[in-house]
Amino acid sequence: MRVNPPDPGTGGAAATATHPHRWRALYVGVVASFMTLLDVSVVNVAVPSIDRALDASPADLQWILSGYTLAFGLVLVPAGRLGDIHGRRVLFCAGLALFTAASALSGLAQNSTWLILSRILQGAAAGLVNPQVTGLIQELFQGRERDRPFGTLGAVVGVSTAIGPLLGGLLIQLGGMEHGWRWVFFVNVPVGIVAVLLGRRYLPGPDPHRRGGRLDPVGVLLLATGVTLVLLPMIQRDQWRGAGKWLLIPAGLAVLAGFTLWERRYRRRDTPLFDLALFRLRSYGLGTLISLVYFAGFTAIFFVYALYLQTGLGYSPLAAGLAITPFACGAAVSAIAGGRYVHRLGRPMVAGGLAMVALGLGAAVVLTGLVPGRPAPFVLALPLLFAGLGSGLVITPNQNLSLSQVPVAQAGSAAGMLQTAQRIGASAGIAGIGAVFFAVLADRQGAWADAFRQALVVSVLVVLVTLVIAVVDSLGGRRRRGASTDAGSRPG
């Protein structure tokens, strides 16, 4: 099956673009996305409480955090493909029900092994849900109608990433240090139950005219193995001593190369797990690369900032969470505006947002050097707000542009691959930037401000690399438009 050069508003969306409950379906999906993405970061501030309650080892704590992320990343593409085949409502409701049950199990955990297994199940369920939400936007809205839904979803992505520590700190304070960590998980249960019921009511059912297909189990196995090998050394960087663990990354890349060869072969006789021809769409290929690199730069900020504030400066989880809210607020506001104007401004908007993020984080680097210590949250509030405003102009518009030419029948698998790139980028960024942070801390004997500043410098450099990619894409698009205008003006 080949990728057609599609009109973004056509394809399988024709029948569902007039769905009577499409906005309600969107809001149900957005709530589900918020919950699942929030759980990537909300547990970070609960780690000390979990440690005391369950007597968990450092390796256990690492898996409580990383098991969710790993399972999330592994399931995204197969789940998106299943949604393309069987309809998104079935996958959405099943995944959300499983996520809700796994959240309850996590809250009831009596030992660290129990909690690790339930967190892995929770992450897999989150991976089932998220591609369906993006696929629904592709299916229920056409062309520029997608700007507002993608803007809303982008705001959710930005806010959920940054506000997790705040919400976690608030729940722990309300529930107490002994049992407050359980409420970090229990809070998902009532929201999840309501969302499943509303999803069954408002999301469109399977399209009877949609062409079926198979899941391609060999492709699933190769992709899962490759992603696991790439992510594991990043996730376990502190627990697995020695340099040998990094050999898993080239091994994983070799398996992913095998996945590429298999998918090309499989495509001759059936629809593959992921159609690699999608990467020939410039908007999708470069958009996925931008997602990969940008998430490596900006996600790690919250990791090192929380460590700096809580461990280095002695702030409470709630105070540390409050310190990150300027970024979240800025991202939420600008994501909605970015979604609204993305078709008018295109990739230059993404480049402008990246420049704002780099400037905001650069200002934070300077101010951390000038005013180190306890005033940090107050001094850094404005730079983080500015960087957050820029981030909202990156995530939402880039996602919208990346998926704009993807056929509706492949929207789920395309969204899954885009989000897999985000998860790999985030893990790589936390591993790399975290390594710089801890290396400076060890070398300078507990100089927390210096370690945080050096980590921010690396984040800025990664964002600048992303900016170069976006600028190159913008210039290339301008040249293509100019060439097509010149060709159209020539006499026939």
Side-chain angles (χ1 to χ4, degrees), residues 336-379:
I336 296 172
R340 183 174 300 173
Y341 296 107
V342 61
H343 276 104
R344 185 180 304 174
L345 300 176
R347 197 75 75 183
M349 174 187 284
V350 177
L354 288 165
M356 290 176 64
V357 175
L359 286 171
L361 297 183
V365 171
V366 173
L367 290 173
T368 303
L370 293 175
V371 191
R374 296 285 298 180
F378 305 99
V379 172

Side-chain angles (χ1 to χ4, degrees), residues 27-413:
Y27 296 139
V28 172
V30 163
V31 168
S33 286
F34 180 78
M35 281 200 307
T36 57
L37 293 171
L38 188 72
D39 265 58
V40 175
S41 60
V42 71
V43 181
N44 288 337
V45 296
V47 165
S49 301
I50 293 171
D51 187 14
R52 284 192 294 270
L54 302 182
D55 192 25
S57 68
D60 290 338
L61 293 173
Q62 182 65 37
W63 271 106
I64 289 167
L65 294 174
S66 61
Y68 182 93
T69 303
L70 180 61
F72 194 155
L74 292 180
V75 173
L76 284 166
V77 176
R81 175 66 186 138
L82 282 171
D84 292 337
I85 296 171
H86 299 295
R88 311 195 199 285
R89 183 173 66 187
V90 173
L91 271 293
F92 176 87
C93 291
L96 192 54
L98 183 62
F99 180 83
T100 304
S103 297
L105 286 172
S106 297
L108 294 169
Q110 299 301 306
N111 54 62
S112 56
T113 302
W114 179 338
L115 184 54
I116 289 168
L117 293 175
S118 58
R119 280 286 285 171
I120 291 173
L121 184 62
Q122 195 186 28
L128 283 174
V129 171
N130 273 274
Q132 316 313 327
V133 179
T134 310
L136 278 169
I137 294 175
Q138 294 285 97
E139 190 171 323
L140 295 175
F141 299 90
Q142 300 183 39
R144 296 196 175 189
E145 283 185 326
R146 294 173 183 163
D147 293 355
R148 181 178 163 194
F150 272 126
T152 304
L153 183 61
V156 164
V157 172
V159 170
S160 63
T161 303
I163 210 172
L166 171 61
L167 183 58
L170 182 61
L171 289 170
I172 290 169
Q173 183 159 317
L174 292 174
M177 290 302 290
E178 183 177 356
H179 296 295
W181 67 270
R182 298 185 184 276
W183 290 102
V184 169
F185 301 109
F186 284 146
V187 73
N188 292 328
V189 176
V191 180
I193 291 171
V194 173
V196 169
L197 295 174
L198 293 178
R200 284 180 57 85
R201 179 173 182 180
Y202 294 127
L203 269 64
D207 182 355
H209 303 293
R210 177 177 288 160
R211 180 185 172 187
R214 293 176 295 180
L215 185 57
D216 178 15
V218 175
V220 172
L221 179 62
L222 288 171
L223 181 62
T225 303
V227 171
T228 300
L229 291 173
V230 169
L231 287 180
L232 267 180
M234 301 178 192
I235 291 172
Q236 294 294 107
R237 68 190 184 282
D238 295 326
Q239 271 58 52
W240 293 357
R241 301 299 179 184
K245 62 178 177 287
W246 300 113
L247 295 175
L248 292 178
I249 293 180
L253 294 175
V255 174
L256 291 176
F259 167 74
T260 300
L261 295 174
W262 169 260
E263 291 297 282
R264 286 177 177 171
R265 179 181 176 186
Y266 192 86
R267 187 171 182 258
R268 298 171 190 163
R269 55 191 173 92
D270 204 343
T271 302
L273 175 66
F274 176 79
D275 192 345
L276 296 166
L278 287 172
F279 286 126
R280 296 177 197 159
L281 300 173
R282 186 182 179 92
S283 59
Y284 184 78
L286 281 171
T288 303
L289 181 60
I290 287 171
S291 286
L292 174 72
V293 182
Y294 180 64
F295 270 73
F298 100 101
T299 309
I301 297 166
F302 311 113
F303 171 67
V304 296
Y305 195 30
L307 282 173
Y308 173 46
L309 293 176
Q310 291 185 68
T311 310
L313 301 181
Y315 279 88
S316 69
L318 179 59
L322 283 168
I324 298 171
T325 52
F327 189 101
C329 293
V333 171
S334 61
I336 296 172
R340 183 174 300 173
Y341 296 107
V342 61
H343 276 104
R344 185 180 304 174
L345 300 176
R347 197 75 75 183
M349 174 187 284
V350 177
L354 288 165
M356 290 176 64
V357 175
L359 286 171
L361 297 183
V365 171
V366 173
L367 290 173
T368 303
L370 293 175
V371 191
R374 296 285 298 180
F378 305 99
V379 172
L380 300 186
L382 281 177
L384 288 179
L385 174 64
F386 188 75
L389 288 169
S391 188
L393 299 179
V394 176
I395 296 174
T396 299
N398 183 64
Q399 181 171 255
N400 198 337
L401 292 168
S402 299
L403 298 174
S404 62
Q405 293 183 299
V406 173
V408 171
Q410 295 172 285
S413 58

